[in-house]
Amino acid sequence: MRPFHYERVADVDSAVSVLAETPGAEYLAGGTNLVDLMKLEVAAPEVLVDVRRLTSDRIEDHDGTLRIGASATNSALAADPLVRQRFPVLSQAVLAGASPQLRNLATTGGNLLQRTRCGYFQDITTPCNKREPGSGCSAREGFHREHAILGASRECVATHPSDMAVALAALDAVVNTVGPGGSRRIDLVDLHRLPGDEPQRDTVLEHGELIISVDVPPLDFAVTSRYRKARDRTSFAFALVSVAAALDVAEGAVRDVRLALGGVAHKPWRATTAEQVLRGGPATADDFRRAADAELEAANPLPGNDFKVQLVRNMITGTLADLAGVSR
């Protein structure tokens, strides 16, 4: 690990000012991802500004909207009664990620901003456009079993690793930030970027912009929601494919639906095409499968991860069928 300067400031404005004035500075909260990258010398910040105590760790109801403080730990979020009762998909997603020890330390803001777990990104001896723009993407011709089948580019086929972010994408969450240009609200589905020709940019945040909280708007039928994750082992493994779904069925028809996918793209993938196909149609396994196929028309898998297409189809179909209470 390279030497760095640690700084603790009094408030959010001071933290933003330090980063705005220091291109090589980064925020530190739980550190469960950043510290690992520093040990690997993938990240080498000159200054770490501790923000763990600057943002709220509370989870509160604001006139029906659930507000999650950026410093709320993953463990607290998963166990919160409001989350478990109103948004079970979110609690399930958080519990599907990492280990209990890491969830006790990892924060909501940090979870959203964690970087890809692509092995080539984490190995400084190999070319990686995300780590060193213009050097090449080793995964395309190398080991890419866990990589993207949607929204990838020639420059990068990495996937975003967060489980929590997938559930929040399905729930139309909004991220509140403060940065050098002031405060703003960003729809979570717009927070993360597809790689395009700038894979080094994970999000739309400016340097120094700090996540303050996340808002989850009211969604009555989110009580009928589920997070399902396919992975190589049952604990402490990132998703090959995950599905976050909430479903509203009345008289055998889909009245409304929310659907997002993980493990398939550079960002949490909101399955809007599938949602459009489903709304107003019959709530049957065949119709769920047709909706999945419509979403997957945009898929462009690599030779080593083409199995994900069928896996996505099966997981969407099975998850929605279970929520609807119909046979697969």
Side-chain angles (χ1 to χ4, degrees):
M1 184 182 289
R2 300 180 189 178
F4 62 90
H5 174 70
Y6 170 83
E7 188 163 342
R8 182 178 288 177
V9 296
D11 51 40
V12 168
D13 289 342
S14 299
V16 171
S17 295
V18 171
L19 258 74
E21 297 167 1
T22 314
E26 292 193 34
Y27 291 129
L28 175 70
T32 56
N33 182 214
L34 177 58
V35 173
D36 284 345
L37 294 178
M38 291 172 66
K39 291 177 179 178
L40 295 169
E41 297 192 1
V42 174
E46 299 172 9
V47 178
L48 288 182
V49 179
D50 192 334
V51 296
R52 182 64 180 261
R53 295 171 179 82
L54 301 186
T55 58
S56 172
D57 63 357
R58 299 175 68 89
I59 303 166
E60 302 174 304
D61 182 277
H62 285 251
D63 297 325
T65 293
L66 186 74
R67 173 156 292 178
I68 306 164
S71 290
T73 66
N74 287 182
S75 291
L77 181 61
D80 187 84
L82 285 174
V83 176
R84 295 178 66 183
Q85 293 164 15
R86 293 170 52 191
F87 306 104
V89 64
L90 179 54
S91 178
Q92 292 165 14
V94 174
L95 290 173
S99 65
Q101 294 90 341
L102 288 172
R103 291 196 297 268
N104 287 341
L105 189 61
T107 64
T108 296
N111 187 303
L112 291 176
L113 299 180
Q114 63 183 300
R115 308 209 68 189
T116 182
R117 261 51 179 200
C118 174
Y120 300 104
F121 171 72
Q122 295 182 321
D123 180 358
I124 61 173
T125 69
T126 61
C128 171
N129 287 321
K130 179 175 284 295
R131 191 183 64 249
E132 186 180 348
S135 63
C137 176
S138 296
R140 294 195 67 90
E141 303 299 328
F143 184 76
H144 49 248
R145 180 173 178 272
E146 301 174 355
H147 287 65
I149 62 171
L150 291 164
S153 70
R154 289 294 307 175
E155 304 301 319
C156 183
V157 292
T159 56
H160 191 268
S162 173
D163 294 287
M164 182 191 74
V166 179
L168 290 173
L171 294 171
D172 295 319
V174 177
V175 177
N176 301 302
T177 70
V178 172
S183 61
R184 62 170 173 161
R185 288 170 57 81
I186 306 167
D187 290 342
L188 191 130
V189 293
D190 297 325
L191 174 67
H192 302 95
R193 298 179 65 257
L194 292 177
D197 58 3
E198 292 183 290
Q200 71 275 16
R201 293 182 58 213
D202 291 340
T203 73
V204 299
L205 297 184
E206 301 172 0
H207 180 68
E209 195 166 4
L210 178 65
I211 294 176
I212 301 299
S213 61
V214 177
D215 289 342
V216 183
L219 185 67
D220 290 343
F221 69 90
V223 297
T224 308
S225 62
R226 182 166 299 178
Y227 187 77
R228 181 166 286 165
K229 179 178 180 179
R231 46 189 164 176
D232 286 327
R233 56 184 185 274
T234 57
S235 178
F236 198 33
F238 298 101
L240 291 171
V241 171
S242 66
V243 174
L247 185 66
D248 183 14
V249 173
E251 299 181 353
V254 176
R255 190 157 51 188
D256 207 348
V257 62
R258 299 289 187 277
L259 191 64
L261 305 173
V264 298
H266 196 258
K267 61 183 288 184
W269 187 268
R270 181 67 181 266
T272 54
T273 299
E275 289 179 354
Q276 292 169 3
V277 171
L278 287 166
R279 289 190 183 100
T284 70
D286 286 343
D287 289 280
F288 299 153
R289 193 171 294 108
R290 279 193 284 272
D293 287 340
E295 190 69 43
L296 288 164
E297 286 182 5
N300 187 25
L302 295 165
N305 66 6
D306 58 354
F307 71 94
K308 283 193 177 187
V309 174
Q310 184 63 44
L311 185 56
V312 170
R313 180 182 297 113
N314 290 345
M315 289 186 65
I316 289 176
T317 302
T319 302
L320 293 176
D322 289 349
L323 289 173
V326 300
S327 173
R328 301 186 191 186

